[in-house]
Amino acid sequence: MRMTSYLSLFASVVFLSGLTACGVPDAPPAPPLPSAAKTYKLSTADAVFLQQMDALNQKEIKIASLAETHSNSDVVKAFAHTVVGDYTNGQKAVSKILSDGNLTQSSKLTAADEKHINSFKSLYKNSFDRLFLLDVIEVNTPSLQKTLQTEAKSGGSPSIKALASDTLKMLQDHSDRAENISGSHIVRTRHRRHMNRYY
């Protein structure tokens, strides 16, 4: 009698185990571990472009930052603040792309760039404003526009294309606003001779 009970109990356990195996789905697999950040190799053209953007960002940030103490115009100061912010965002984008491409960001400007920046340091009030606005206008050269258009179309990565496209739009916006603030296109020719002395 007792043996029969043991056999019945064992059969019940086996039966219930079978039901459990058939009726309950397996636990879902664990999610994959996050993959390491992907890097890519930059072409020579892309690397040269990024270094050019790096230098441009540094130079224009330093010039526009001078407006806080060299300008007496709230309008020019506000515009310069925008210029600094836009180029700072561009610099962050350049840093990210260079980092992803395992390249080191340059931190040293050329002697010509340093000389150009220094040409603003002795100017104040209206003199500074005029030269600063002229610089914003003239930095948007046809040569730079062509480079940006080429990279926006044929850059080696979506990030480079986006950087070039965004920079192209930014330079045009800055140039248009500088023209409006100056109030006249005369500023372009009036101070061209003064600007050329520093190149």
Side-chain angles (χ1 to χ4, degrees), residues 19 21 39 81-82 89 121 150 158 165 188:
L19 288 178
T39 60
H81 182 75
T82 297
N89 288 335
K121 293 182 177 180
T150 298
S165 179
R188 181 186 295 274

Side-chain angles (χ1 to χ4, degrees), residues 9 13-14 40 42 68 76 107 141 152 155 188 194 196:
L9 179 60
V13 170
V14 171
Y40 56 88
L42 293 168
E68 186 62 32
V76 171
S107 60
T141 63
R188 181 186 295 274
H194 179 76
N196 288 340

Side-chain angles (χ1 to χ4, degrees), residues 112-169:
D113 284 339
E114 292 288 0
K115 186 176 182 180
H116 180 63
I117 294 167
N118 288 336
S119 70
F120 291 82
K121 293 182 177 180
S122 61
L123 301 176
Y124 291 87
K125 299 182 179 180
N126 292 341
S127 296
F128 173 85
D129 293 345
R130 286 192 294 265
L131 194 59
F132 166 62
L133 294 172
L134 179 63
D135 178 74
V136 171
I137 294 167
E138 293 198 337
V139 76
N140 190 23
T141 63
S143 175
L144 179 55
Q145 289 179 25
K146 184 177 180 180
T147 297
L148 291 168
Q149 289 166 356
T150 298
E151 287 294 327
K153 181 179 179 180
S154 307
S157 75
S159 296
I160 291 176
K161 291 179 179 179
L163 171 66
S165 179
D166 290 346
T167 303
L168 196 61
K169 294 174 184 176

